[in-house]
Amino acid sequence: MVGRSWLGGVAAIAALLALGGCNSKPAGSTAAGAGVAKKDFTIGWSIYTGWMPWPYAQQAGIVKKWADKYGINIRVLQVNDYVESVNQYAAGKLDGVVATTMDALTIPAAGGKDTTVLLIGDYSNGNDGVVLKDGRSMADIKGRSVKLVELSVSHFLLARGLELNGLKLADVKTVNTGDADIVGAFASPSVTAVATWNPQLSTIRATPGATEVFDSSKIPNEILDTLNVSTETLKANPNLGKALAGIWYETMAIMARNDATGRAARAAMAKAAGTSEASFDDQLKTTHLYARAQDAVAYAENPDLVTVTDRVRQFSFAHGLFGPSAKSVDAIGISFPGGKALGDPKNIKLRFDPSYMKLAADGKL
C-alpha cells in the first residue's frame, strides 16, 4: 500500500479551489480531452497490491487486445508517487487513475473534477493496521502518541478503530510520520503506537513485543480501491469504459488461476511491485479483490456502499479535506446506483456507475 496518503492532495485541492471553489473546473482539464471523442487515453497507476494487475495486463498484451477491439489506444502509465498520480488526474493530465474512493473524493471531486468510479477493484482486508508495544487491545492506546501519515487512510483507520472501541481521536495524539520513516520510528523505545499499511505493517508487526490491535478487516469496504475516470471523457468515449472493464476482468481471471499461467501472472506482478512472490501472495491474502464482475456489481448496488461512503465523507470534511470553500459535509454530491445520493444533488462530482461492470458480468463486452 505504498504511499496511499492525502498530504500531497491537500495542496492540490487548495490550488484547484483557488480557481473557483467546489464547482470549478480543474486547471488543465482539457489536456486529457475531457468531453471530446478521441482515440488515445492514458490511465495512471502506482504500486499497490490491488493495482498490480494493470501493469501485468499491459505487459501480457491484454491492454492492447481490448483497446484494438474498440479501435482505441490505451497507455497504462506508472506514476512513482501515488498522490502525484491522483493530482495528475485531477489536473487533466490523465484520463483515469487507480485510487481509494477517499482520495477520489478529496482530491479531484473536491477540486471540481466530475469523476466516475468505473470499476470497484478491492478493499483492504488487513493491509492496514494499528500496532502497539506493551498493549493487548485498542483500549491500551488511550493517552498515547500515535505515529502515522496524518490525513491518510491510516488516520481514517485509527479513527474507526477508536470509534468501534468506545474511544475518540481526542483520546490520542497523532504525530505525522512519513511512510518511509515509520518502521525506523517504531524501532525507537519512545514510540509505542503506530498506524500504517503494508509492506511496512508486516515489518512492524513482526517486531518483538509488538501487537496488532486493530486492522482494516474489521471495516470491510471502507478502504476501497477503484478505477476512476473523467466523467466527461467517459461520456464522449464509452468504448474506453468497455475496454477497461474487459482488460480488468480478463486479467482477474488469469490471476485467479491455480496453474502455471496464474502463478506466472502473480510472479510478474510481484516483480513489478518490487517484492518477492511469497510477499506478494501474503499481501493478496489481506486484499479482498472483487475478481468477478458479478460480485463488484452486487456491491455497487448494496446499500452498504452508501453507508461506508458516508463515513468517509464525514471524516474527510471534519478534517478539512473538502477545501476551505466547503461549508458543510454536503458541499460535494456523490451519486450511487438506483438514484441514491449523498450531498448536494446539484453538485455531483463523484459517481458510482456499475454499467460497465454489468456489461462484463453479462458477457456483453
Side-chain angles (χ1 to χ4, degrees):
M1 202 172 272
V2 177
R4 299 201 312 172
S5 64
W6 297 334
L7 292 178
V10 174
I13 293 171
L16 292 169
L17 290 173
L19 298 173
C22 282
N23 291 306
S24 67
K25 196 171 187 179
S29 61
T30 56
V36 177
K38 59 179 190 169
K39 296 290 185 181
D40 299 314
F41 304 91
T42 303
I43 305 298
W45 68 277
S46 53
I47 292 176
Y48 167 62
T49 311
W51 297 333
M52 299 319 296
W54 289 106
Y56 168 76
Q58 180 160 267
Q59 171 192 327
I62 299 170
V63 171
K64 186 177 187 304
K65 168 189 168 181
W66 283 92
D68 286 351
K69 177 176 181 177
Y70 289 104
I72 60 177
N73 300 307
I74 299 175
R75 181 187 182 199
V76 178
L77 176 69
Q78 181 180 5
V79 181
N80 288 329
D81 181 82
Y82 166 64
V83 169
E84 178 58 22
S85 72
V86 187
N87 288 345
Q88 286 187 21
Y89 165 72
K93 296 177 181 179
L94 300 169
D95 297 289
V97 69
V98 287
T100 64
T101 53
M102 196 173 297
D103 290 322
L105 174 63
T106 60
I107 302 178
K113 186 177 183 70
D114 196 321
T115 294
T116 293
V117 177
L118 184 78
L119 300 173
I120 294 176
D122 71 90
Y123 67 79
S124 174
N125 195 30
N127 272 331
D128 300 74
V130 178
V131 182
L132 303 182
K133 292 174 185 171
D134 303 318
R136 303 178 68 86
S137 71
M138 276 298 286
D140 296 321
I141 202 171
K142 188 172 183 178
R144 299 196 191 196
S145 293
V146 185
K147 297 269 191 176
L148 46 65
V149 179
E150 288 187 329
L151 306 181
S152 72
V153 289
S154 292
H155 205 152
F156 176 76
L157 177 83
L158 174 65
R160 290 290 286 131
L162 290 166
E163 178 187 355
L164 291 174
N165 286 275
L167 299 170
K168 306 181 296 294
L169 273 171
D171 289 324
V172 299
K173 178 183 178 182
T174 59
V175 180
N176 188 43
T177 307
D179 57 315
D181 302 320
I182 204 154
V183 172
F186 193 71
S188 170
S190 63
V191 176
T192 64
V194 300
T196 190
W197 50 69
N198 272 327
Q200 292 93 328
L201 177 62
S202 296
T203 302
I204 289 171
R205 195 168 45 207
T207 303
T211 301
E212 185 176 64
V213 294
F214 189 78
D215 70 70
S216 53
S217 69
K218 308 296 192 302
I219 52 169
N221 289 300
E222 295 191 26
I223 301 178
L224 195 63
D225 300 300
T226 54
L227 174 64
N228 311 281
V229 178
S230 161
T231 301
E232 291 183 353
T233 297
L234 186 62
K235 285 182 178 178
N237 302 276
N239 281 344
L240 172 63
K242 294 175 184 178
L244 290 170
I247 292 163
W248 180 253
Y249 291 112
E250 178 174 340
T251 307
M252 287 290 98
I254 294 171
M255 185 181 181
R257 289 170 58 171
N258 192 26
D259 59 12
T261 300
R263 288 191 292 273
R266 294 189 295 274
M269 294 178 203
K271 183 177 180 181
T275 191
S276 68
E277 293 177 41
S279 176
F280 188 73
D281 284 342
D282 282 343
Q283 290 178 42
L284 283 175
K285 293 174 184 175
T286 51
T287 305
H288 181 98
L289 285 164
Y290 282 102
R292 296 183 346 123
Q294 294 90 333
D295 296 334
V297 171
Y299 187 66
E301 296 178 341
N302 189 322
D304 183 66
L305 177 60
V306 181
T307 300
V308 299
T309 304
D310 188 37
R311 288 189 189 123
V312 168
R313 75 176 189 130
Q314 296 284 351
F315 175 89
S316 301
F317 175 74
H319 288 81
L321 294 171
F322 282 6
S325 67
K327 303 305 180 186
S328 82
V329 71
D330 291 325
I332 302 167
I334 308 168
S335 66
F336 302 87
K340 299 173 185 175
L342 292 170
D344 186 351
K346 296 180 181 179
N347 189 41
I348 300 293
K349 294 301 177 186
L350 188 66
R351 305 168 190 268
F352 288 88
D353 178 5
S355 59
Y356 294 93
M357 297 186 293
K358 282 185 176 180
L359 290 175
D362 296 339
K364 294 182 178 179
L365 291 176

